[in-house]
Amino acid sequence: MAVIEKQSSEQHEGDVTCLAYHNGQLFSGGADGKIKIWDNDLNLIKSVDAHDSYIYAMAINSNNGKLYSSSCDGCVKFMAPPYDQTEQLFCCDDAIQAMYCDGDILYTGDEKGVVTNWIDDKIKFKYNLVEEVKSLGAEKSLIYTVRDLDVVVSDMIAGKSGKYSNKAVLPGKSPLALVGPVIDDKRTFLVFADRSGKGLSLVKNLPQQKFESVWNLTNCHELIIQAICGDENTVFSGGYDNKVKGWTNLEQTIPTPLGEVEVGSCVNALVCSGNKRVYIGASDGFVRRAKFV
């Protein structure tokens, strides 16, 4: 069973394109170039004119709360608490469509397939992974990237700038997410859309398990999946069919369905807040909070 508990008090002009959650606050990025900050009950705290155009992605440093955002103008900016204004990290000619923070380390992925590793807001390494990066994850020395056909797991070679080796190539499509309990600083599972875009695949992520498949849910959505998020015990997905669906007992060969909610608009972004709650960013400009029981 699942219900929509709350809807945001205001909306973006155009789509909500990305979401981030930290320390009891929700951040939404939109096609209007604004980043809106909400409390847990989706009351607006403030709205920041972050970019001149469409925001592609956001990532948040879980240690200090610094929020990074990228736009189709080629710029990556950041805001530190209390999130009053943005500062520019860099600008380039290539669209940064995906970002991820692994603790203090920021990763950005662009349309030419270059993943850049940032430490203390300075470039450490660049990795040319060849294929456009639409979704991105990272843990320790591993980078997880995906476009439309394959999820690629790359191992960064310590001490050698830009050198990496491929650990795995898995059939799949954007988006992807690292989920499950943390063991030795690594998430237990990797989940992503299958090549049809309508199903979900979950594989084991711990090093000794060699990305072994746990389950595949074919055609669990009627239309293409746009967003995936998860935590220690749950996975949520949503997309063009205007629905968000949830699963738990991820380690089973068939996960347990938690139900679904009808959003009424295309689901562009999801982020978990714990206790089987998920925030939903949609194409109508509103943010919603759903509770799965």
Side-chain angles (χ1 to χ4, degrees), residues 4-22:
I4 300 284
E5 290 184 311
K6 296 280 185 178
Q7 180 172 296
S8 58
S9 52
E10 298 185 33
Q11 67 191 115
H12 284 269
E13 297 172 29
D15 289 40
V16 177
T17 57
C18 50
L19 296 172
Y21 185 82
H22 176 71

Side-chain angles (χ1 to χ4, degrees), residues 154-190:
S154 305
D155 191 1
M156 298 175 282
I157 298 174
K160 295 187 177 181
S161 177
K163 301 293 184 182
Y164 66 91
S165 62
N166 283 345
K167 296 292 286 185
V169 178
L170 310 164
K173 186 180 178 75
S174 174
L176 61 75
L178 291 156
V179 300
V182 176
I183 299 175
D184 295 331
D185 296 325
K186 289 189 69 63
R187 288 285 185 183
T188 312
F189 304 114
L190 173 68

Side-chain angles (χ1 to χ4, degrees), residues 114-130:
V114 176
V115 173
T116 305
N117 177 352
W118 300 79
I119 297 179
D120 295 328
D121 295 337
K122 296 179 177 61
I123 294 176
K124 184 178 181 185
F125 294 143
K126 285 192 173 189
Y127 301 90
N128 190 348
L129 303 179
V130 182

